[in-house]
Amino acid sequence: MTDRQHYFLVGIGGSGMMPLAMILAGRGAIVAGSDRSLDQGRVPAKFDALRAMGIALHPQDGSGITSPEQIVVASAAVEASVADIVAAERLGCPRLTRAALNARLFNASRLPIGVAGTSGKSTVTGMIATILDAAGSDPTVMNGAVMKDFARPDRPFASALVGAGDAYVSEVDESDGSIALYAPRIAVLNNVSLDHKSLAELNQLFGDFIGKAAHAIVNIDNSDAATLALALPQDRVTRFAIDRDADLSATDIAEEPFAVSFTLRGHRVRLAVPGRHNVANALAAIGAALAARVTLEQAIAGVTRFTGLKRRFDLVGTAAGVAVIDDFGHNPDKIAATLDTLHAFPGRLLVLFQPHGYGPLKVMRCELVAMFASKLAPGDLLVLPDPVYQGGTVNREVTSADIVGDLSLAGADARHIADRDAAAAHLVATARAGDRIVVMGARDDTLPLLAARMVEMLAAR
């Protein structure tokens, strides 16, 4: 489908675009692209990795789009005024969204496995990848995060696998409605909670998605997901849950600071990632693997090999007795899961949360405030810089200062420090031995660099 075709990816360094570029190049396509972050000199290692795969990179000024034979791919967020899009229109290049192209590859595969849900998609996708790889299935995998199990010095940004097996495993996005493009054979629904859309819209999208599948794996601990599962024939759904009756049920959970173990069908399972939410993620991945005809023993052996994803409860380092953790948490459920995992053990939390946009802040304002007010313990400190902004038009109706104002009224210790570097410096200056600093946010791949600098700042105090 892709051999020798020419693709130009606008925003090629994005978390959803970069793995797609890897898959296209791995399947013999001629791939080029541009990125605003490349022009700004941000995260150069990422673009060096793309060049090492034979992918040509260009400034985002239209100069890389020179032929009507190029298929121009961009996310829905790329505006029509961007020079590359203007050039594509002028030349009459075929156009695809990132999601539309990924859906084409996914739907054309012999075993499309789609992972959906408001939270945990990347982790479940990574777990399935590790299980199938360990079982010798040689899957193709499209992930929105770097999978540590497949990263190597010569491939540090391993957010994709290009395999010769039947399976094409991909997380699918509900935020822009593109989940409707996918036709899964096996569908995972991790959970349904507020993020980019209303719950009514989410339930419609997720319900339609699992309804297409020959088999669905659904988390019945989540009430909305459990309700959607009721609409499916019993023989087409595997239900999973924690400490309750289900097709896959985890019991006897024992948490550790950076691990968790549980019992499943008489087997003791120990994960190398922490938290009850990762127990649920593991059940989802095991369910998908069973539906793909992997044995339970193979699935358990594979998931215990899973070492995590970059930016998912990622311990960056420890200095001066303070641990610094980088995490992708950006909606109420994701953030709550991380805070719960950390609060299972002693130590104050110092949280830097960079909202991933002004629009999501408006949608999630009440839920974010309620979550932080209930999940921050006495002594914890939350600092919010301004939301990530990388250009374009944006409505700034709700700001970080508004969230902090709401939290202060609720009695939480929260502060707005507009500049992110200043916010980080404040937390470093405040930290004492035994504290845990957590850097949270999405849509900004410089956050791991910030977390690493904070470790250096702690060491230099």
Side-chain angles (χ1 to χ4, degrees):
M1 177 179 173
T2 58
D3 190 46
R4 309 313 294 169
Q5 287 184 302
H6 291 254
Y7 291 89
F8 191 96
L9 277 57
V10 183
I12 196 169
S15 62
M17 201 71 85
M18 188 171 180
L20 186 57
M22 295 177 187
I23 292 170
L24 292 171
R27 291 185 168 187
I30 298 167
V31 183
S34 68
D35 199 283
R36 183 182 292 153
S37 293
L38 172 67
D39 296 347
Q40 296 169 348
R42 303 167 75 230
V43 200
K46 174 185 290 188
F47 298 105
D48 289 343
L50 287 168
R51 290 189 187 97
M53 296 175 203
I55 294 171
L57 300 178
H58 301 269
Q60 201 169 84
D61 60 5
S63 60
I65 299 177
T66 59
S67 166
E69 294 182 0
Q70 290 172 292
I71 301 168
V72 177
V73 185
S75 74
V78 175
E79 297 168 320
S81 59
V82 170
D84 286 341
I85 304 303
V86 173
E89 288 291 325
R90 184 180 68 250
L91 290 170
C93 297
R95 295 273 309 281
L96 284 172
T97 64
R98 182 207 65 81
L101 177 54
N102 186 47
R104 283 190 184 184
L105 299 172
F106 178 91
N107 295 341
S109 70
R110 292 182 292 274
L111 182 59
I113 304 174
V115 182
T118 316
S119 303
K121 293 187 291 292
S122 297
T123 297
V124 173
T125 300
M127 286 178 168
I128 296 171
T130 301
I131 292 170
L132 294 183
D133 179 74
S137 298
D138 198 17
T140 294
V141 181
M142 164 79 184
N143 204 331
V146 174
M147 297 175 283
K148 293 181 182 179
D149 297 338
F150 303 102
R152 302 192 304 257
D154 63 337
R155 189 176 62 182
F157 297 92
S159 54
L161 298 180
V162 185
D166 289 349
Y168 190 110
V169 186
S170 181
E171 60 173 291
V172 298
D173 191 9
E174 79 287 347
S175 65
D176 59 359
S178 61
I179 187 174
L181 301 173
Y182 294 82
R185 178 88 59 80
I186 299 169
V188 175
L189 178 55
N190 236 22
N191 43 57
V192 183
S193 63
L194 195 67
D195 193 339
H196 299 273
K197 295 182 178 295
S198 70
L199 282 175
E201 291 175 290
L202 291 172
N203 279 309
Q204 183 68 51
L205 289 168
F206 289 137
D208 290 346
F209 176 72
I210 63 174
K212 295 176 186 176
H215 201 85
I217 321 299
V218 181
N219 179 8
I220 62 168
D221 282 331
N222 180 269
S223 59
D224 287 274
T227 299
L228 293 175
L230 292 174
L232 300 177
Q234 293 293 311
D235 61 349
R236 284 180 48 206
V237 61
T238 296
R239 294 167 171 81
F240 67 90
I242 293 175
D243 289 332
R244 59 184 291 195
D245 187 46
D247 301 305
L248 295 172
S249 182
T251 59
D252 305 317
I253 295 172
E255 295 192 62
E256 303 171 40
F258 290 94
V260 65
S261 57
F262 61 95
T263 297
L264 171 64
R265 293 185 181 175
H267 297 267
R268 194 65 186 164
V269 184
R270 186 176 185 272
L271 304 177
V273 289
R276 292 173 66 89
H277 62 293
N278 274 320
V279 175
N281 289 336
L283 294 177
I286 290 168
L290 294 177
R293 302 191 182 282
V294 172
T295 68
L296 178 62
E297 290 72 21
Q298 286 177 312
I300 290 173
V303 82
T304 59
R305 289 174 50 176
F306 177 73
T307 58
L309 307 176
K310 291 287 188 182
R311 300 226 59 231
R312 279 19 175 220
F313 206 97
D314 197 3
L315 178 62
V316 178
T318 301
V322 179
V324 178
I325 295 164
D326 183 29
D327 191 72
F328 192 66
H330 60 279
N331 67 35
D333 276 10
K334 286 186 173 77
I335 296 169
T338 296
L339 297 183
D340 284 345
T341 299
L342 287 163
H343 278 138
F345 300 92
R348 185 174 63 146
L349 301 187
L350 307 179
V351 181
L352 188 155
F353 170 50
Q354 177 180 264
H356 60 295
Y358 289 92
L361 265 192
K362 181 179 178 181
V363 171
M364 297 186 294
R365 177 176 184 171
C366 294
E367 288 75 16
L368 272 175
V369 170
M371 179 275 301
F372 276 124
S374 66
K375 295 297 183 181
L376 291 172
D380 290 349
L381 171 62
L382 170 67
V383 174
L384 270 74
D386 286 342
V388 61
Y389 173 69
Q390 295 173 350
T393 57
V394 64
N395 183 331
R396 305 188 183 204
E397 186 175 338
V398 176
T399 68
S400 294
D402 293 322
I403 303 299
V404 167
D406 293 347
L407 283 167
S408 297
L409 289 174
D413 190 357
R415 300 171 197 180
H416 171 228
I417 301 177
D419 179 75
R420 193 182 74 177
D421 288 342
H426 178 74
L427 289 185
V428 168
T430 303
R432 56 179 183 261
D435 289 347
R436 285 79 54 83
I437 292 176
V438 192
V439 177
M440 288 183 161
R443 292 183 183 167
D444 186 344
D445 47 18
T446 66
L447 284 170
L449 305 179
L450 176 69
R453 286 202 306 274
M454 293 175 80
V455 176
E456 294 171 357
M457 292 162 67
L458 285 163
R461 285 196 318 187

